[in-house]
Amino acid sequence: FREEFKFTMREDRYVAFGLRMRCGSGDHYMGGTVGLLHNPERQEAFPGDQGQLATIIDLVVQPDNSVVVTAVGDLPFKVARAWMPRGMRGLQLAFVDVQKSTEPPLQSILGSCNEEPGLGLFGQLIERGGPPGLAEALRGADGPFTVLVPRD
């Protein structure tokens, strides 16, 4: 959950799907959200099967006709309904029920900066001499933020 991982797709139907996603058919630029599940006894997913959502953040096509996928793990899910549409070369689509996370919420930006090696200087600068109210906002008072923090 929330960890980056890589895998390589070599089977034709998965490579074709990866190329479709790279060309913009996913729900964001060069990627999208997919559900991953594995059952060694069969090739199809059935209602009740469990898996994990993953957000594909990069797809790299290799000269040997394989695709290297970089993804970030997301929430677990349970298949509600699955089907094989025409044109997807045997891949399945499904409606899924996403299960709530039991993970603790992410800590504040300043908390992360103080704990991560190489980011502590930014946290110290904001706490000691940043613009008024910025330190409180980055502690999570005003809502979720995304911040690009320079390394020490």
Side-chain angles (χ1 to χ4, degrees):
F1 181 70
R2 295 186 189 152
E3 291 191 22
E4 185 175 303
F5 60 96
K6 288 186 177 189
F7 60 94
T8 302
M9 298 187 299
R10 290 187 176 86
E11 196 172 328
D12 286 341
R13 61 183 172 177
Y14 298 118
V15 170
F17 181 69
L19 291 174
R20 279 180 153 180
M21 291 190 82
R22 182 166 168 72
C23 292
S25 69
D27 57 359
H28 73 270
Y29 177 70
M30 283 184 47
T33 304
V34 297
L36 303 174
L37 59 95
H38 175 71
N39 187 334
E41 298 172 5
R42 60 179 188 266
Q43 292 185 353
E44 293 183 34
F46 292 108
D49 286 349
Q50 295 184 359
Q52 183 176 13
L53 293 177
T55 301
I56 295 175
I57 56 175
D58 193 25
L59 293 156
V60 180
V61 180
Q62 300 296 315
D64 65 351
N65 293 331
S66 64
V67 177
V68 176
V69 179
T70 305
V72 176
D74 207 340
L75 298 172
F77 70 87
K78 187 181 288 188
V79 175
R81 180 174 166 241
W83 69 97
M84 283 192 212
R86 292 183 187 174
M88 294 295 284
R89 304 177 85 178
L91 294 180
Q92 286 184 284
L93 296 181
F95 290 119
V96 298
D97 295 324
V98 178
Q99 300 166 359
K100 298 237 184 224
S101 173
T102 58
E103 293 283 321
L106 295 174
Q107 63 181 344
S108 70
I109 291 171
L110 285 181
S112 295
C113 288
N114 291 331
E115 288 184 12
E116 285 291 320
L119 301 178
L121 184 60
F122 177 80
Q124 292 172 8
L125 288 172
I126 295 299
E127 287 178 336
R128 292 183 186 161
L134 182 59
E136 289 77 29
L138 294 180
R139 281 192 189 97
D142 292 339
F145 294 103
T146 300
V147 177
L148 301 176
V149 178
R151 291 187 114 12
D152 293 349

